[in-house]
Every structure is written in C-alpha cells, then in structure tokens.
Amino acid sequence: MSYEAPLLAIHDVVKDFPGVRALDNVSLEVNRGELMALLGENGAGKSTLVKILSGALTRDAGTIRINGHELPKKFGPVDARKLGIAIIYQELSLLPHLSAAENIFLGRQPLTSKVLRTIDYRRMHEAARQKLAELKADHISVTAQVHTLSLPEKQMVEIAKALAVNCRVVIMDEPTTTLTREETQRLFGVIQALKQQNVTIIYISHRLDEVLEIADRATVLRDGKVVGTVEIKNTNKTEIIAMMTGKQLRHLERQAGRDIATNGTELLRAEHMSNGSLIHDVSFSVHENEVLGIAGLVGAGRTELARMIFGADKMIAGKVFISGIEVSIHSPKQALRVGLGYLSENRKEEGLNLGLKLEDNIVLSDMSAVSTAGVIHRRRMRDIASNFVERLDIKGSPETVAANLSGGNQQKVAISKWLHVGCRVLLFDEPTRGIDIVAKTEVLSIIRDFATQGRGAIIISSEVDDLLDICDRILIMSKGQIVQVLQRDEISKERVLEYVTRGHQ
C-alpha cells in the first residue's frame, strides 16, 4: 500500500508524571486513509498519547504535525476538533436526552438567520441524515433521543459527529468491547468506508485478531517507548505479542497430533440437566487432560449451566457424576468437596474481594492450610501467595490490594484461588473478558497447563478465537440446549460460527 506524505506525524514526544516517564521520545507517522493500530500492554503509554492528541494533556517535548502543520504545544479538546482530530472513546460522549441530529451538530447547529438565531431543524435533520447515510446507517432516526438507541447506533452517531466537522484523524479506543460479532463486522464496514474517504484512523484494541483483520500497520508501545512499527500483512499474533512483552510467549494453538484423553478417564459427567426454565435436558462429559469449550450467543444458557453444575443455582432435574460416582451438589460448598471450582464471569463482584490483599483472596476458598484452631498463620499465607505470584507471573506482591491490580492480574489471582483449593475440574466463565491481549494469552496458557496435569477444564467464552486456541472439543449451546458437539478434527472458526448462529435462528 502506498501513501502520500504522512497526514499525522508525531516526533520525539515526551510526557512526564511525578516519578515516571509515561512517553519517552515517542515517534510515529500515520498516512492519509490508513488504519494504524496502536498496541501495548496496560501502562505502555497508549492512553497518555491519545490524551495528548485529544488535547486533554499537554506534551512536555516533541512535535505533532497534521498535514505538515505543527500543532501548538498547548491546545484543548475543542481545539483538537477544530484541528481535525476526533476521539471515539469506549465510553461514548453523547448527550443521552438530545436527539441524534442535535448530538451530531452540537454547538454548530444551522440557524434560520443571523438575526433570529433560531435553529433550522429541517436543515439540521437533512444534514444529519446525509452523514448517517455516508456510514450506511440511514436506518437511525435523526430525531430519536440518543438514550433510546442501541450501542452500535450510538457509535454511528459519534462517528457521524466526527465527520460533520470534517475530522481527518479518528481515534477509536476499544470500539468493539461490547459489540457482538455481527455488530463488529458492521463497524468494520464503516471503517472501510471512512478509509475510502481518506480519513486516517488510529485503532486501539486488546483484540489482536481484529487488528490482524482490519489494520494496515501496527505501532507497538512498551514502557512508554516505541518498540517498532510493522506491516500487518508481514506479521502475526506471536510476533506482535513478543514486541509488546519483550519475551516470547508460549504458542497456544491446537496441535493436530496432540494426545487428548477424550476417550480416557472421565472426570465429570452431567446427564439430562434442567433448571426448569432455560436449561433443558443437557448432557456432556469432560475427561482428564481435556479443555472443553462451550460456545453460544448471549442468552444461550452457558452461564446458567455452569452455575447449576457448581451448585450456585438450583437444578430441577439431572445427575452429576465425578469419576463415575454420582454426587449430590446443591451448593458451592458441596461442589468444592467433590473437586469442582467455578471462575465467575463477574470477577470484581463474585470472584474477588477487591478490598482485600492478594494473599487473602488466594486462600479465601480454603483456609485450612493457613489456620489452626481459628488462628491464621500469616507467614504460611504469604508463602502460598508468593508461590502463585511466581507461578502465574502476577504483577504484584502478596500484600498488594486486589483493587490496585490490572484486570489481567486480578484474573490470575482469581484463578490462583481455585488452584489453591486443588480442584480436579474447573469451569472458567469468560476468563479473558476485559483483559489485554498479553494477559489473555497468559490466562489461556494457565488453563491449558491446568488441564494437562490430569485435570479437566471447561471454558465458556464469547471469544471464538480463544476457544479455537485451546479447546479439544466445543459444545454449541442455543436456547438452553446443546445443539452440536465439534470434535478436535472438526473445529474451525467458520464451523463454530455457523452452528452458533444456526441454533439461534
């Protein structure tokens, strides 16, 4: 792909905060009509750079040029808009009780005359329709109040707002976090339309598979410095992760010849399980050394099934067998006794106590190893926590309060809690939600390692690529039932998505 001179040129930008250099001589160039992915772990400097470009922060040194014109050192968000820079944040900045048209032209509403200075709604509505039509979003009513719109529709309004002031650089910060795959693909279509209009896009995402699908190039930051810029067509996920971390992470993709004991020792078997509402007659099993995936759309019953197996929700009918022996599970305490653990999708409210230290959280599910006659042995607790900090590469000390950890490290602490208990079978519900790509790879590696030690893992995920990376079999759920089982040699992204959407129809 060839370009003219760069539209956006950032040279030797520095930003210091007390005790830390957040950006250390950062330089990058983005071309007209190009999508540049900005990648890095949490704390790499991405947010600081975006805040400088948006006018929310002032750089300490360096230059920023748009179309060859140097931007002043100090400018604010309003100035950034005038300079042609728009930010589409993960938390959208729309006024919910104004209409779509009023948001698109906020502060720049067309007037009937300079004398009367009243808003010309007819002209504003027509112009708003035109902007939405350019985005293939003309189904959105320009008179609808924004709070009545879906999240994807709100995103379209936000993008139309940027186009209405002729923005030349659009920065998208985690734009697909809460979108379905279908909504994500529609957004990608809009992004391609923007590129055809010569709009330059900086795209920030933890979803590396999306980056590989849609970006032209990627610039990687680490510890406030630019590690390098790569052409997407000439790179892969493993190389980018190595650039982000400074180390080679273990390759996770399924190996065709790997020996999976799906016909070996059965650890858990569920038969004809029902909860009287959503779950109907579900049966499956998981074996030693196996990672069993469960895929399905929102509302398919995946979480409800996991909670019922773990005893967190009531089971109306069905049987559960552990190592061939029928067990009675009516509470999480009973599940723990037979070797079952459940990592909730809501780690902040159900998986961890954020106000407690890392060491307290890890031993919370089993205090027997650190207490005698009601007396807690802090040294023993710290030793156990230190072991998990080292094993799982948790960025924190045993005394770190859980709330002060990043999302990925919080998830590692939540997993440590179940590893400490010594579960034979662990149910992981959306284990990579809300964590960056490096932490995601590490968490998936932990799940794989858990299963290969003669234990079994069940992973529920909306991220099909996560399931493809580590699963030996995948169950497809729809409307509370298993509609398809994909064996190891049948698993592909196309097949998973086909059965997921077919079962929902």
Side-chain angles (χ1 to χ4, degrees):
M1 184 178 291
S2 61
Y3 299 97
E4 306 169 9
L7 179 70
L8 174 66
I10 300 169
H11 290 151
D12 299 323
V13 167
V14 173
K15 181 62 184 177
D16 290 319
F17 295 109
V20 63
R21 173 154 287 191
L23 294 177
D24 189 358
N25 292 293
V26 166
S27 298
L28 64 96
E29 296 180 344
V30 193
N31 300 299
R32 195 182 311 274
E34 180 183 25
L35 192 151
M36 170 73 81
L38 187 61
L39 305 176
E41 294 187 79
N42 291 335
K46 305 187 302 295
S47 296
T48 302
L49 182 58
V50 167
K51 287 177 180 177
I52 288 173
L53 290 173
S54 72
L57 288 176
T58 301
R59 64 189 184 274
D60 295 325
T63 62
I64 300 174
R65 289 184 173 86
I66 289 186
N67 210 22
H69 300 290
E70 185 172 340
L71 274 57
K73 190 172 184 179
K74 291 186 177 181
F75 62 93
V78 174
D79 301 312
R81 283 272 180 172
K82 291 178 180 177
L83 292 165
I85 301 171
I87 317 289
I88 313 296
Y89 288 108
Q90 187 175 339
E91 299 295 331
L92 302 177
S93 57
L94 300 174
L95 298 179
H97 293 290
L98 293 183
S99 70
E102 288 169 325
N103 271 280
I104 290 170
F105 290 99
L106 189 65
R108 299 171 295 99
Q109 300 93 331
L111 304 176
T112 53
S113 71
K114 292 182 180 179
V115 177
L116 295 175
R117 298 193 64 78
T118 56
I119 298 173
D120 189 336
Y121 282 98
R122 184 192 60 78
R123 195 148 56 94
M124 183 174 70
H125 290 164
E126 183 56 38
R129 289 189 190 96
Q130 182 179 340
K131 291 301 175 186
L132 289 170
E134 290 175 17
L135 300 174
K136 296 182 173 59
D138 43 5
H139 64 283
I140 299 174
S141 170
V142 297
T143 60
Q145 290 189 336
V146 161
H147 72 87
T148 67
L149 302 178
S150 67
L151 181 60
E153 289 172 335
K154 290 175 183 175
Q155 277 191 332
M156 293 302 104
V157 172
E158 188 83 78
I159 296 170
K161 181 179 177 181
L163 293 181
V165 290
N166 297 316
C167 282
R168 291 170 288 181
V169 178
V170 174
I171 302 172
M172 295 186 174
D173 186 7
E174 299 288 352
T176 64
T177 300
T178 56
L179 301 185
T180 65
R181 178 169 176 80
E182 292 74 17
E183 291 165 346
T184 296
Q185 289 302 313
R186 283 198 290 272
L187 176 63
F188 286 177
V190 169
I191 288 173
Q192 293 298 340
L194 291 176
K195 290 174 62 179
Q196 290 171 7
Q197 297 175 40
N198 271 335
V199 174
T200 295
I201 299 169
I202 297 176
Y203 192 90
I204 300 170
S205 179
H206 291 318
R207 296 180 171 181
L208 203 48
D209 293 288
E210 290 182 1
V211 169
L212 293 172
E213 179 180 347
I214 197 169
D216 298 306
R217 293 189 297 154
T219 292
V220 178
L221 296 178
R222 187 171 74 237
D223 299 328
K225 298 179 181 179
V226 173
V227 178
T229 298
V230 293
E231 295 277 348
I232 291 298
K233 64 183 179 182
N234 297 328
T235 191
N236 55 49
K237 187 190 297 187
T238 303
E239 180 182 347
I240 292 175
I241 292 174
M243 292 174 68
M244 291 167 65
T245 61
K247 58 187 178 182
Q248 198 77 22
L249 295 186
R250 194 156 56 107
H251 192 56
L252 278 175
E253 291 178 3
R254 294 177 299 116
Q255 301 298 314
R258 190 156 52 82
D259 180 26
I260 309 302
T262 50
N263 295 315
T265 304
E266 181 185 84
L267 294 178
L268 177 145
R269 182 169 82 253
E271 291 186 351
H272 309 297
M273 299 189 72
S274 300
N275 66 358
S277 54
L278 178 60
I279 307 299
H280 306 290
D281 194 28
V282 170
S283 300
F284 69 92
S285 61
V286 62
H287 303 77
E288 283 186 348
N289 303 321
E290 181 181 23
V291 178
L292 177 70
I294 303 181
L297 300 178
V298 174
R302 299 167 303 167
T303 294
E304 290 82 357
L305 176 62
R307 288 178 60 85
M308 186 168 53
I309 293 170
F310 187 61
D313 292 339
K314 190 173 183 179
M315 180 173 68
I316 300 299
K319 296 179 180 179
V320 176
F321 298 83
I322 300 294
S323 298
I325 300 171
E326 185 177 354
V327 294
S328 177
I329 301 176
H330 299 293
S331 70
K333 183 178 288 188
Q334 289 177 325
L336 286 172
R337 285 175 185 158
V338 298
L340 286 182
Y342 171 59
L343 188 80
S344 170
E345 64 178 335
N346 187 355
R347 67 172 175 271
K348 291 190 175 182
E349 294 181 17
E350 298 179 354
L352 297 172
N353 186 322
L354 296 179
L356 294 181
K357 296 176 182 178
L358 184 156
E359 59 188 8
D360 296 309
N361 273 284
I362 289 177
V363 302
L364 211 52
S365 291
D366 182 11
M367 298 290 289
S368 62
V370 297
S371 63
T372 306
V375 178
I376 296 175
H377 304 288
R378 278 282 166 186
R379 182 175 295 233
R380 201 177 301 168
M381 180 188 294
R382 193 147 299 165
D383 288 343
I384 290 172
S386 296
N387 177 46
F388 283 111
V389 166
E390 183 177 352
R391 278 175 57 191
L392 273 60
D393 194 20
I394 299 172
K395 305 297 191 297
S397 73
E399 295 184 279
T400 303
V401 175
N404 296 331
L405 297 171
S406 69
N409 285 298
Q410 286 179 354
Q411 193 70 311
K412 290 180 186 179
V413 173
I415 294 172
S416 299
K417 181 175 71 173
W418 295 114
L419 297 182
H420 167 65
V421 172
C423 298
R424 294 283 321 271
V425 178
L426 247 176
L427 297 105
F428 297 84
D429 196 350
E430 300 289 0
T432 64
R433 177 177 288 168
I435 63 178
D436 67 39
I437 181 62
V438 175
K440 175 185 289 193
T441 304
E442 292 173 337
V443 165
L444 293 177
S445 179
I446 291 167
I447 296 172
R448 180 72 262 166
D449 284 345
F450 172 83
T452 54
Q453 295 171 26
R455 295 178 283 197
I458 302 172
I459 174 172
I460 297 167
S461 181
S462 301
E463 300 283 348
V464 174
D465 291 299
D466 289 359
L467 299 177
L468 296 179
D469 280 347
I470 65 168
C471 289
D472 305 304
R473 288 185 298 147
I474 297 178
L475 310 180
I476 312 293
M477 286 194 70
S478 178
K479 301 175 184 177
Q481 295 181 306
I482 295 174
V483 295
Q484 187 70 32
V485 179
L486 295 177
Q487 303 297 332
R488 182 183 60 191
D489 57 355
E490 299 173 317
I491 295 174
S492 69
K493 189 169 189 175
E494 294 72 24
R495 201 166 268 169
V496 171
L497 292 173
E498 175 192 350
Y499 287 116
V500 163
T501 53
R502 182 196 295 179
H504 188 68
Q505 293 171 352

